[in-house]
Amino acid sequence: MDIYKKSITELSELLNKKILSSVEMANYFIKRINSFDSKLNSFITVDEEHSKKQALYADSLIAKKQNTFLTGIPIAHKDLFSTKNILTTCGSKMLENYIPPFDATIVCKLNNAGMVTIGKTNMDEFAMGSSSESSYFGSVQNPWNIVKVPGGSSGGSASAVAARLTPVATGSDTGGSIRQPASFCGLTGLKPTYGSVSRYGMIAYASSLDQCGPIAKNAEDCALIFDEIKGYDHNDITSNHEVKQEKINLQISKDEVKKITIGIPKEYFSKDLDKNISDVIFQAVEIFKKLGFKFQEISLPQHNLTIPAYYIIASAEASSNLSRYDGIKFGHRCNNPKNLEDLYLRTRKEGFGREVKKRIMIGAYALSAGYYDEYYMRALKIRRLIRDNFISAFDKVDYIFAPTSPSTAFNIGEKTSNALEMYLSDIYTTPVNLAGLPAASIPVGFNDSLPVGMQIIGNYFSEEKILQIANIFQKETDWHLKIPKEFDNE
Ligand code: GLN
């Protein structure tokens, strides 16, 4: 039946027609995890008993016809979403044994819709990274080529969906962690407008940038998950009332398409971008032109300031957010501390990995008296300029196309010793977070047998249109249907 290939809509049909029960569907995907994940390390936790309980409940809802469209569909959550009674590690030794007493809002909403959590996915420690190599639980492999990284920090979620070990997964995106792994793994990922999805129960990295969203096979599945998780939440003071409550309609008429102008930022397609990647993107642009979209070159002049500003702001917020891991409130605690200072020092030394410690130090430095104005305040000013660049661009064009990453998936170990090179891989994704805008990454082709992703960036709260644009392209092409060979069997 090739169940692993099916979209959420197709799986839902199997459940509703009683061709398969939710319990059978959960077992099917858990069996795939058991047979394939030793090659990928994409899961940290698979809780069969919990999944079975949820699946039985989903079956009872279907039997009583009280089901939603998502009832009984398996999902994997990035391991930074708090899941009640299920281990939530954030990829860190610090939280190696942390079992939250509550569910994150998005987990709660998806549970209420009847979805079945089949596991928690591996990730860069505290979501800091672009390769999923900084996890305390070992690096994740890319199903397209297991010597390559799957991207990060939501690399476990992307790797698992790409290998079809789960139909869909959640991710978080502070500077690209949904879009970049989606692009490295040939998937569709949506980073919503800042504030349109609640961050409550999502372990914080950089609170003014963090936003969660789906990593899926196609735009349609992203829309179904986004519809369920979006909306105001009184538990998150930054969640926004402006999010449209109506369900997303993916249909877009030819007339509407003709009215859409898409901007191509000239700074993004400079010599810094691998020529093969820009070729693949421009082939996709040709398809969009045939569909009736108009294109125009635009400029985002402060592009070159993005990475320094992002890494100062993200590290500053991280140093503050991670101060809670002190060996007292929760998480790891060192053995036999001599005094309070020893407790703090050894707990944090033992509990955090290298990358996390580095960010805390950069952040604390940037926030310290004497350096605050020079680093943190200046980074905030750049952030405003970057946002203003986008606002002026949206006066001229409706949407912006951009590469997701300057390269395709790189080798495991290739960039671990060169932090700057690793940080530069976020050059096209971080501006979107600094501005708080929504963007999706969609697969648009291959280079050297590895997937290439392209971003569709929109103005605030334009998720519906972004997904319509992604969907119309996916009706014309089949990049999103490609499956890595080794995992393309039952
Ligand atoms: N790679 C970026 C960082 O390390 C983005 C990570 C993310 O989006 N969580 O900060």
Side-chain angles (χ1 to χ4, degrees):
M1 229 189 311
D2 287 349
I3 295 166
Y4 64 98
K5 292 187 179 171
K6 297 198 187 303
S7 67
I8 293 181
T9 308
E10 291 162 345
L11 291 173
S12 185
E13 207 177 291
L14 291 183
L15 294 170
N16 282 314
K17 289 194 175 145
K18 311 252 171 18
I19 296 168
L20 213 65
S21 71
S22 314
V23 172
E24 284 163 336
M25 194 174 284
N27 285 340
Y28 172 90
F29 281 101
I30 288 170
K31 197 168 146 227
R32 276 185 79 77
I33 298 172
N34 290 336
S35 24
F36 288 118
D37 201 43
S38 55
K39 293 189 186 123
L40 301 173
N41 198 24
S42 66
F43 280 86
I44 293 177
T45 302
V46 177
D47 186 338
E48 291 191 32
E49 217 170 287
H50 178 85
S51 323
K52 192 164 174 209
K53 244 192 245 160
Q54 278 191 315
L56 278 170
Y57 177 65
D59 279 331
S60 75
L61 290 177
I62 295 170
K64 287 186 277 184
K65 295 205 169 18
Q66 287 170 357
N67 52 314
T68 74
F69 206 73
L70 294 174
T71 305
I73 307 289
I75 187 164
H77 293 299
K78 184 176 182 178
D79 210 19
L80 55 40
F81 292 106
S82 301
T83 39
K84 190 174 175 177
N85 299 332
I86 304 176
L87 185 70
T88 300
T89 68
C90 217
S92 182
K93 178 179 164 79
M94 191 56 97
L95 294 176
E96 192 181 5
N97 300 311
Y98 176 54
I99 301 195
F102 73 113
D103 280 319
T105 298
I106 76 156
V107 172
C108 197
K109 285 183 167 184
L110 295 168
N111 284 347
N112 289 344
M115 289 196 93
V116 176
T117 303
I118 51 167
K120 304 290 297 287
T121 56
N122 204 348
M123 55 180 283
D124 278 303
E125 185 177 7
F126 283 99
M128 297 174 192
S130 315
S131 63
S132 299
E133 292 169 286
S134 74
S135 169
Y136 174 65
F137 301 91
S139 54
V140 183
Q141 277 77 254
N142 187 323
W144 288 98
N145 181 346
I146 54 169
V147 305
K148 305 278 175 186
V149 304
S153 61
S154 315
S157 288
S159 175
V161 179
R164 306 309 195 246
L165 309 187
T166 174
V168 64
T170 51
S172 71
D173 194 313
T174 305
S177 285
I178 288 176
R179 289 160 289 155
Q180 186 251 24
S183 117
F184 279 14
C185 291
L187 302 169
T188 306
L190 175 71
K191 181 255 171 223
T193 307
Y194 182 77
S196 58
V197 179
S198 169
R199 292 182 295 109
Y200 181 69
M202 173 174 134
I203 295 172
Y205 162 15
S207 312
S208 78
L209 300 159
D210 295 344
Q211 186 58 197
C212 44
I215 296 183
K217 298 195 280 281
N218 58 30
E220 188 188 311
D221 288 359
C222 278
L224 290 167
I225 299 296
F226 177 64
D227 271 340
E228 208 56 53
I229 61 178
K230 68 188 180 186
Y232 176 75
D233 175 14
H234 68 270
N235 284 321
D236 172 2
I237 52 158
T238 58
S239 90
N240 200 303
H241 282 284
E242 280 177 55
V243 195
K244 252 175 84 182
Q245 279 318 298
E246 301 80 54
K247 298 262 179 231
I248 284 179
N249 173 5
L250 283 177
Q251 300 319 312
I252 180 167
S253 70
K254 280 211 165 104
D255 284 343
E256 271 181 279
V257 165
K258 278 192 200 135
K259 287 188 207 132
I260 296 179
T261 307
I262 290 166
I264 302 284
K266 60 172 189 235
E267 293 83 359
Y268 285 18
F269 292 89
S270 69
K271 55 180 184 337
D272 295 340
L273 178 66
D274 181 335
K275 163 96 172 57
N276 295 318
I277 298 213
S278 78
D279 286 350
V280 170
I281 292 180
F282 280 106
Q283 279 159 23
V285 166
E286 284 311 310
I287 297 175
F288 278 102
K289 282 185 181 162
K290 280 201 195 106
L291 286 166
F293 292 88
K294 286 195 281 296
F295 284 82
Q296 185 182 319
E297 189 179 89
I298 55 161
S299 174
L300 297 168
Q302 261 78 34
H303 171 61
N304 57 335
L305 300 176
T306 302
I307 290 295
Y310 169 81
Y311 275 95
I312 297 277
I313 294 170
S315 304
E317 293 186 23
S319 76
S320 158
N321 271 327
L322 271 60
S323 64
R324 74 190 67 172
Y325 305 104
D326 56 5
I328 295 171
K329 299 188 198 79
F330 50 91
H332 175 74
R333 175 182 295 180
C334 69
N335 281 331
N336 308 319
K338 286 200 286 288
N339 51 38
L340 190 61
E341 194 177 333
D342 184 43
L343 168 76
Y344 289 156
L345 283 176
R346 274 203 293 128
T347 294
R348 287 166 72 82
K349 184 175 166 208
E350 291 166 9
F352 290 137
R354 232 181 109 77
E355 186 61 30
V356 173
K357 283 179 190 148
K358 191 161 69 188
R359 307 271 182 121
I360 292 174
M361 280 159 67
I362 296 173
Y365 183 81
L367 289 177
S368 58
Y371 293 104
Y372 183 86
D373 285 334
E374 209 170 319
Y375 292 104
Y376 184 64
M377 286 309 280
R378 208 182 267 189
L380 287 188
K381 286 179 189 161
I382 295 173
R383 180 177 194 171
R384 170 55 69 103
L385 291 176
I386 288 169
R387 193 196 78 133
D388 291 349
N389 280 181
F390 278 111
I391 306 267
S392 346
F394 286 128
D395 282 341
K396 300 188 191 81
V397 296
D398 304 299
Y399 298 89
I400 295 171
F401 280 4
T404 306
S405 169
S407 72
T408 51
F410 43 88
N411 286 336
I412 293 177
E414 188 181 325
K415 298 196 183 189
T416 36
S417 55
N418 187 341
L420 190 60
E421 221 180 279
M422 184 76 93
Y423 294 175
L424 280 172
S425 65
D426 303 324
I427 184 129
Y428 303 117
T429 46
T430 46
V432 170
N433 300 73
L434 288 169
L437 293 166
S441 177
I442 58 167
V444 290
F446 283 80
N447 177 36
D448 254 351
S449 313
L450 289 170
V452 174
M454 183 190 80
Q455 288 186 89
I456 307 169
I457 305 169
N459 215 330
Y460 299 102
F461 303 107
S462 64
E463 286 83 357
E464 179 169 72
K465 269 276 148 38
I466 290 176
L467 292 172
Q468 285 175 352
I469 295 171
N471 184 56
I472 195 171
F473 180 77
Q474 292 181 339
K475 294 274 169 279
E476 287 296 307
T477 56
D478 62 357
W479 304 118
H480 61 290
L481 298 175
K482 305 263 186 244
I483 301 174
K485 235 200 213 110
E486 232 180 297
F487 303 91
D488 195 3
N489 53 69
E490 297 242 74

